[in-house]
Amino acid sequence: MKKLLSFVCALLTGASVFATKNPDLFFADYVPRAWTTIDGLPGNSITDIIQSKDGYLFIGTYGGLVRFDGVEFATINRSVDPKYNFMSARSVMEDSRGNLWVGSNDEGVFCLKENGDVISFTTLNGLPNNSIRNFCEDKEGNIWIGTSSGIACVSKDYKIVSLPGFDKIPNNNHFIAFQLYCDTAGRIWVVTGTENGLYLYYDQNFYVYDGIKSINNPAVTTVTQDASGAFWFGVAPYYAVKITPEDEILHNIGNGAQKGTVVNNIFQDSSMNIWFALDNGVTVLHDGHYSYFDKDSGFDAESVCKVIEDREKNIWFATDLGGIERLSYSKFQTTYMPTTVNAIAQDLKRGVVWIAGDDGLYCYTKGRFIENDITRKCKNVRVRHVALTKDNSLLVSTYEKLGQMKFSLNGSVQYWDKTSGLAGSKIRVCEEMSNGDIYIGTTTGLSIVRKDGTIKNITKADNISNDFIMCLFEDKNGEVWVGTDGGGIFILKDGQVVKTMTKQDGLAGNVIFKILRLNENEIWICTGTGASCIRDEKILSFDSSDGLGTDSVFQLVGDYSKKIWGTSNRGVFCINRDDLEDFFSGKKTKIITRFYTSLDGITSNGVTATSLSMKDNLGRIWFTLVDGFTIYDPVRNAANNAAPEVKIQQVFADGLEYPVNGKIVLGPDVKRINIKYTGISFISSEQVKFRTKMSGFDDKYGEWTNERLMSYTNLKPGTYEFNVIAQNGDEIQSLVPQSITIIKRPHFWQCWWFIGLCIITVSGVIILVYIIRVNRYKREQEKAEKLSLEVTLALAGTIDAKDKYTNGHSNRVAMYARMLSKNMGDSEEEQKKVYYSALLHDIGKIGIPDQIINKPAKLTKEEFDTIKTHPVIGSEILSSVSSMGELTVGARSHHERFDGTGYPDGLKGHDIPRLARIICVADAYDAMTSNRSYRKFLSQDVVRREFEENSGTQFDPEIVSCILAIIDLDTEYMLHE
């Protein structure tokens, strides 16, 4: 941290007019950060650094190999896991197959394969020495190993081999191989660091390279190629030589009193800048110029071993004693000033920016401060506000000493203070309104300076609750909104108070810092307890409880990229406009707020509550600070479009770690599962957010959160898929979720076969009980039906016995009726109903005197009328049998005629119950086919003719068709008495 602060101070000092030396603008565009043992590194001496294909940084230290995701360091050595049988990592390389090669200080080489296996190589199986200095991979996939006693080679099948020409290695392979490098032509360069000790291997032979002509007996310490194919050589003590087919250029890259003794590394970044790592700092060649990052510019590290660039374009240094350092491209360009800045205003007419400070007014143009008559006039005066009028006059508000001033373009100056009639001399704010009046806010009231020079004051005496004026705003109707320090807002029209607005009306607070317009139909109010937006006559407020992250909102400024920037007691923040709209509409319950710090380039102690920031004509936002100002340029600062690499790092079940290999199978007794994951990003790493979903448990992804650990308890047996996605601070999401399958095995009693067996067993028992009950019920029902039938037959026999001429009539009618019902397609149940009803259709004859029923002579009218009462008598008798209501129907209506001339009710057509119409036909058939005392049964032809002639009058035609079909089938004429 001390190193970071010292570098920051050096940059701040170098970037302002108050510095003692000219600034190095190249490094002013970067924000440095260092990580040491305090942050979790096992040591501050860094031997190597690379970024792997999956995004991690791997760092070589004397305390082991370290994996870094931007937030957490994970050390890899035998203390952590015995399979990593090394304690130091002096050199690190990732090969084309994704294997990590680790060279230790004195324990040999270790290949960490992607599948988790570890292969080791030492002097016991062919290395010339166990002290490893460097690796490279050739075009055939062989791994070259540089040691402190020569070189070796490992083939693709992980065996130490001697390539053709290895019997002719210079100096009998007795040298320190500081670096190995495979160029674009497939040649291997061997750097020994000694004079004339640079070797080349190609065409199965080794050669001494003597291509450097600008230095005699060069001691080359590093070699690389740039994007054009040119070779760069680091030559002791502080030179770099660039060689192309056409030219050789010598660069003196040393700087300072101690210019360095060795060039450790040369690296070209994506912007084509060349970085030189020396033992006293870093030199950068850019745009034909050198820039230096060394002790003179606040860099404390003794030596830089290596420089790399990650995929997010951060520059990383591996230092000898200072841990690792990162240079990130700064989002903000901060200018230090020895004063608190209270307000900033752009003056397009004069081509300058005016800055109001606690010790005067400053004029800034083209990256530097200039003095003029106005700045000299305001020197050592506390200036609280600065603004411009329509005629480009400059309004300068001061605290007491000079009151309010107006500087015209012609050089004239006007003054107003309390002696001139203002409400006070401590001026907080001053603005010219559309009608030309100048409104001046003081700590003791508001003053309106008319165009004619008259002044009107509005104070507590004018019935306003608070006259400490904080800000002014004119709306599109010409009404002036006045913000106060605790009294909310009062609104003026034509100089008269027409409305007040406070927290009781819905404002977030009564301390009003700023009132402004971000969109045409909105007015925003910044308060000490949140912010409010007035639209469509509604007040929408939000504060820290809604995710704002702060309550004191000093100011809001919008840019053209749908972002709202703000200053607060926590510093500068940003809100996405779409997120805010989703919050206002209820689609989201929280606002996502991002705060910016020194890691983003705001190297300051913060902002002040009453300061005024601004957006200039280029869309840049100038933020006022307590010690200067900082500029954010949306064009220059594009979003970090590199999505975080999401990785599931560890899975624990009840404290036991499981290997992360795509599928994890857990026992049935597991209670808690912890899943640790990360999103690899090295720009504002702490602002990476995550969403997770456990398919089979969660219906959808959860809310975005900074948490990197997810826990689940008491999952049911089954198969689950855990998914995690990430987004960086600029809301760029990972393209594909990282997932892992988790299978929790069930207890045997939770297995499908056991559950199925239980279901089958229980179902069998239930079915068996059901069958027993059904059989018992059937037996009882059959018994009851038999009894019912017997009783019914007995009744029918009793009825028939009463009439000596119709013996067996009821049984035959029942049989014929059932035949008709079956022929008409009725169900078995319906046929039964017809049968029983037919058996008892004449039960009413029980109520008819025997002498009438058995009278041999013709019945009188009175006697026949008596006979005709038997259907009613029968229905009344059977009405008590509620379970068989059809018995009553058959008994009452079987003498009704289809033409309506029947009895007892004179029903007609289909108003006659169908059952009765069937019994009517069956009754008539039996009457015609039974013997009588006066005749024998009628022939089939006569019976047929009777039915045909009476169809539609006495009988239902449909049922007649059925009886005729039955007659036609009875070819032997068996259906008669």
Side-chain angles (χ1 to χ4, degrees):
M1 182 59 68
K2 288 173 62 180
K3 290 168 57 182
L4 172 62
L5 289 175
S6 62
F7 177 63
V8 167
C9 292
L11 286 186
L12 290 176
T13 304
S16 74
V17 74
F18 312 102
T20 57
K21 62 179 286 185
N22 292 327
D24 192 329
L25 296 180
F26 179 82
F27 283 109
D29 281 340
Y30 288 92
V31 179
R33 182 177 178 183
W35 285 266
T36 65
T37 53
I38 296 174
D39 305 292
L41 279 172
N44 287 335
S45 292
I46 308 302
T47 57
D48 204 350
I49 184 170
I50 66 167
Q51 184 173 36
S52 63
K53 295 182 180 70
D54 57 6
Y56 285 111
L57 287 185
F58 283 93
I59 303 160
T61 77
Y62 290 106
L65 179 66
V66 180
R67 188 188 70 190
F68 186 43
D69 62 1
V71 173
E72 183 179 54
F73 293 101
T75 301
I76 301 171
N77 58 30
R78 62 170 165 264
S79 297
V80 176
D81 190 332
K83 76 175 182 179
Y84 303 115
N85 192 25
F86 59 86
M87 284 304 298
S88 62
R90 187 161 184 171
S91 183
V92 186
M93 185 194 74
E94 183 180 33
D95 67 21
S96 57
R97 291 182 284 179
N99 301 319
L100 276 179
W101 293 81
V102 181
S104 70
N105 192 41
D106 58 2
E107 295 165 309
V109 172
F110 299 85
C111 176
L112 282 53
K113 299 180 68 177
E114 276 199 311
N115 63 6
D117 293 341
V118 179
I119 303 174
S120 63
F121 304 89
T122 66
T123 54
L124 298 178
N125 51 5
L127 287 185
N129 194 288
N130 284 338
S131 180
I132 310 303
R133 300 305 177 94
N134 203 250
F135 296 102
C136 81
E137 182 178 11
D138 65 22
K139 297 293 185 180
E140 286 72 40
N142 300 310
I143 305 301
W144 289 59
I145 304 170
T147 78
S148 61
S149 297
I151 60 175
C153 188
V154 176
S155 65
K156 292 178 70 174
D157 57 357
Y158 306 105
K159 295 180 180 177
I160 295 179
V161 294
S162 178
L163 297 179
F166 267 40
D167 56 337
K168 298 178 181 179
I169 296 176
N171 293 336
N172 293 320
N173 205 21
H174 293 152
F175 50 76
I176 299 175
F178 286 107
Q179 184 194 6
L180 298 169
Y181 178 73
C182 181
D183 65 24
T184 54
R187 301 176 299 178
I188 301 297
W189 296 76
V190 182
V191 178
T192 68
T194 60
E195 293 185 359
N196 301 312
L198 178 61
Y199 308 128
L200 259 176
Y201 175 82
Y202 62 93
D203 293 340
Q204 302 182 358
N205 277 299
F206 285 90
Y207 303 90
V208 176
Y209 180 74
D210 59 0
I212 299 175
K213 306 302 182 183
S214 55
I215 299 177
N216 293 326
N217 301 317
V220 176
T221 55
T222 184
V223 61
T224 191
Q225 278 180 285
D226 64 21
S228 70
F231 283 90
W232 288 82
F233 301 92
V235 182
Y238 42 78
Y239 297 103
V241 177
K242 178 183 179 181
I243 295 180
T244 68
E246 298 82 21
D247 202 1
E248 176 177 333
I249 303 173
L250 177 65
H251 295 267
N252 184 333
I253 55 176
N255 183 55
Q258 170 52 264
K259 293 188 176 184
T261 61
V262 64
V263 183
N264 292 314
N265 175 232
I266 302 176
F267 170 75
Q268 185 179 43
D269 66 21
S270 57
S271 298
M272 303 298 120
N273 304 314
I274 304 293
W275 299 71
F276 305 96
L278 293 89
D279 62 349
N280 70 333
V282 173
T283 299
V284 184
L285 177 61
H286 61 93
D287 304 316
H289 302 283
Y290 299 114
S291 289
Y292 304 100
F293 188 31
D294 52 22
K295 285 187 177 181
D296 290 341
S297 57
F299 183 55
D300 289 341
E302 294 295 327
S303 176
V304 177
C305 307
K306 191 173 182 181
V307 180
I308 67 167
E309 181 182 39
D310 67 26
R311 62 188 183 90
E312 295 170 294
K313 304 188 186 308
N314 300 302
I315 301 296
W316 294 85
F317 302 149
T319 74
D320 185 34
L321 295 175
I324 58 172
E325 297 225 11
R326 181 198 68 193
L327 295 183
S328 295
Y329 199 64
S330 175
K331 290 182 177 293
F332 296 84
Q333 282 68 54
T334 302
T335 298
Y336 170 76
M337 294 178 64
T339 185
T340 295
V341 175
N342 298 311
I344 298 181
Q346 185 180 25
D347 188 341
L348 294 176
K349 184 68 176 178
R350 298 176 178 87
V352 300
V353 172
W354 298 99
I355 300 172
D358 271 356
D359 63 354
L361 182 68
Y362 292 83
C363 187
Y364 187 78
T365 181
K366 298 179 182 180
R368 64 191 185 93
F369 293 89
I370 61 174
E371 281 196 354
N372 53 41
D373 290 340
I374 298 176
T375 61
R376 284 188 285 271
K377 180 72 174 178
C378 299
K379 194 169 185 179
N380 296 322
V381 175
R382 189 179 186 191
V383 181
R384 296 306 306 265
H385 191 267
V386 61
L388 288 137
T389 65
K390 291 189 291 291
D391 65 357
N392 295 302
S393 295
L394 184 66
L395 299 173
V396 180
S397 306
T398 73
Y399 241 40
E400 283 197 288
K401 193 168 185 179
L402 295 175
Q404 178 64 45
M405 294 180 288
K406 178 182 177 183
F407 294 89
S408 300
L409 283 174
N410 61 13
S412 63
V413 184
Q414 286 181 274
Y415 297 89
W416 296 277
D417 57 16
K418 191 169 183 179
T419 61
S420 307
L422 296 185
S425 291
K426 291 185 176 181
I427 315 299
R428 299 288 304 230
V429 60
C430 178
E431 298 282 357
E432 182 187 44
M433 301 305 163
S434 58
N435 64 359
D437 291 346
I438 295 177
Y439 281 58
I440 302 171
T442 77
T443 58
T444 52
L446 175 69
S447 297
I448 304 173
V449 180
R450 307 290 191 190
K451 288 188 290 186
D452 61 5
T454 61
I455 298 176
K456 177 181 179 179
N457 292 324
I458 300 174
T459 64
K460 286 184 178 179
D462 298 288
N463 295 321
I464 59 172
S465 62
N466 190 297
D467 57 8
F468 193 112
I469 310 304
M470 299 278 282
C471 59
L472 298 167
F473 169 77
E474 184 179 17
D475 65 23
K476 59 185 179 181
N477 298 319
E479 296 180 346
V480 178
W481 298 47
V482 183
T484 69
D485 187 13
I489 297 170
F490 62 88
I491 301 174
L492 303 175
K493 186 174 181 63
D494 298 326
Q496 302 296 321
V497 178
V498 295
K499 185 178 180 181
T500 61
M501 196 177 298
T502 66
K503 193 170 184 178
Q504 290 182 336
D505 301 301
L507 291 183
N510 287 331
V511 176
I512 312 300
F513 291 123
K514 294 291 181 294
I515 306 172
L516 53 108
R517 179 184 290 112
L518 294 179
N519 280 338
E520 182 63 26
N521 298 315
E522 296 177 343
I523 295 177
W524 290 77
I525 297 99
C526 305
T527 83
T529 48
S532 299
C533 173
I534 301 176
R535 62 165 69 155
D536 300 327
E537 299 183 355
K538 294 181 180 179
I539 300 177
L540 307 171
S541 296
F542 54 97
D543 55 27
S544 59
S545 64
D546 301 308
L548 184 58
T550 181
D551 280 327
S552 293
V553 181
F554 304 153
Q555 186 178 356
L556 297 173
V557 183
D559 67 17
Y560 59 80
S561 63
K562 287 190 174 182
K563 290 182 179 179
I564 297 176
W565 295 85
T567 55
S568 71
N569 58 322
R570 279 189 59 186
V572 175
F573 67 87
C574 179
I575 301 172
N576 187 294
R577 183 64 187 251
D578 290 338
D579 284 341
L580 195 58
E581 291 300 324
D582 286 344
F583 171 76
F584 284 155
S585 65
K587 293 180 181 178
K588 290 185 176 180
T589 59
K590 292 287 184 181
I591 300 166
I592 299 175
T593 307
R594 178 177 178 182
F595 284 87
Y596 294 85
T597 66
S598 60
L599 298 179
D600 302 292
I602 305 178
T603 47
S604 169
N605 289 321
V607 298
T608 58
T610 57
S611 62
L612 176 68
S613 300
M614 72 144 185
K615 180 169 67 176
D616 67 18
N617 64 317
L618 300 178
R620 300 177 301 175
I621 301 175
W622 298 56
F623 295 100
T624 53
L625 305 173
V626 296
D627 43 14
F629 61 90
T630 190
I631 302 173
Y632 174 81
D633 187 348
V635 175
R636 182 179 180 275
N637 294 291
N640 174 19
N641 291 315
E645 290 282 349
V646 188
K647 297 294 178 184
I648 296 175
Q649 296 178 311
Q650 292 175 298
V651 177
F652 295 91
D654 290 342
L656 180 65
E657 185 174 1
Y658 285 74
V660 180
N661 55 10
K663 181 186 292 186
I664 294 175
V665 180
L666 304 175
D669 294 320
V670 168
K671 302 296 183 184
R672 178 181 290 275
I673 301 170
N674 292 324
I675 304 172
K676 184 180 178 182
Y677 46 85
T678 188
I680 305 172
S681 175
F682 299 104
I683 297 178
S684 300
S685 306
E686 69 283 353
Q687 294 183 1
V688 174
K689 289 182 168 59
F690 303 88
R691 296 178 73 187
T692 62
K693 181 179 75 171
M694 179 76 86
S695 297
F697 181 82
D698 300 316
D699 295 330
K700 59 182 180 179
Y701 279 96
E703 296 291 330
W704 289 107
T705 174
N706 295 108
E707 291 296 326
R708 295 173 180 244
L709 181 71
M710 196 67 188
S711 295
Y712 296 91
T713 56
N714 297 318
L715 287 178
K716 295 179 180 179
T719 300
Y720 303 87
E721 184 179 74
F722 178 78
N723 294 274
V724 56
I725 57 177
Q727 69 174 18
N728 64 20
D730 289 305
E731 301 181 4
I732 303 299
Q733 293 186 20
S734 51
L735 300 177
V736 180
Q738 183 77 0
S739 63
I740 188 169
T741 300
I742 297 175
I743 301 172
K744 186 177 181 183
R745 292 188 288 105
H747 291 283
F748 77 88
W749 62 80
Q750 295 173 312
C751 294
W752 65 266
W753 60 265
F754 183 82
I755 295 172
L757 181 62
C758 292
I759 291 173
I760 292 171
T761 302
V762 172
S763 299
V765 172
I766 292 172
I767 292 171
L768 180 61
V769 171
Y770 175 77
I771 291 173
I772 293 172
R773 288 190 174 185
V774 167
N775 288 337
R776 182 185 302 164
Y777 174 75
K778 281 184 176 181
R779 288 194 299 270
E780 291 176 353
Q781 188 180 37
E782 289 171 356
K783 185 177 179 181
E785 285 185 358
K786 183 179 179 182
L787 177 62
S788 177
L789 179 59
E790 289 173 349
V791 170
T792 304
L793 289 172
L795 283 172
T798 301
I799 296 166
D800 290 345
K802 188 175 177 68
D803 187 347
K804 64 183 180 179
Y805 300 111
T806 59
N807 187 32
H809 168 71
S810 295
N811 284 335
R812 291 192 300 276
V813 171
M815 180 182 69
Y816 299 148
R818 184 166 189 163
M819 290 173 68
L820 286 168
S821 177
K822 181 178 181 181
N823 191 265
M824 293 175 73
D826 290 346
S827 66
E828 184 67 28
E829 187 64 27
E830 288 296 321
Q831 293 174 41
K832 284 183 179 181
K833 292 179 180 180
V834 170
Y835 179 75
Y836 281 109
S837 296
L839 277 175
L840 299 177
H841 74 285
D842 276 342
I843 194 171
K845 289 183 178 180
I846 292 175
I848 306 301
D850 290 346
Q851 61 270 27
I852 294 177
I853 292 176
N854 293 310
K855 183 179 179 181
K858 184 179 180 180
L859 297 175
T860 66
K861 181 180 181 303
E862 290 78 10
E863 289 173 335
F864 187 66
D865 288 341
T866 302
I867 284 291
K868 288 168 66 175
T869 63
H870 83 272
V872 176
I873 296 171
S875 67
E876 291 176 350
I877 293 171
L878 295 174
S879 64
S880 61
V881 185
S882 59
S883 61
M884 297 181 70
E886 64 273 4
L887 298 179
T888 303
V889 173
R892 186 179 185 90
S893 301
H894 67 279
H895 280 294
E896 299 287 352
R897 291 172 60 94
F898 201 71
D899 60 4
T901 60
Y903 63 88
D905 300 311
L907 301 177
K908 181 180 181 180
H910 288 89
D911 290 338
I912 305 168
R914 180 174 178 273
L915 182 145
R917 283 180 272 139
I918 293 173
I919 294 174
C920 176
V921 172
D923 192 25
Y925 181 84
D926 184 65
M928 290 186 283
T929 58
S930 297
N931 293 318
R932 291 290 185 265
S933 59
Y934 52 87
R935 65 162 174 80
K936 288 191 67 175
F937 60 84
L938 302 178
S939 67
Q940 274 188 321
D941 291 339
V942 173
V943 173
R944 166 181 280 280
R945 188 167 57 252
E946 283 293 323
F947 277 118
E948 288 175 344
E949 291 176 353
N950 290 284
S951 177
T953 55
Q954 183 178 353
F955 307 115
D956 182 343
E958 181 186 2
I959 301 173
V960 168
S961 297
C962 288
I963 195 65
L964 293 178
I966 291 171
I967 291 172
D968 290 341
L969 291 173
D970 185 19
T971 57
E972 300 295 327
Y973 196 23
M974 301 298 294
L975 299 177
H976 64 81
E977 183 182 10

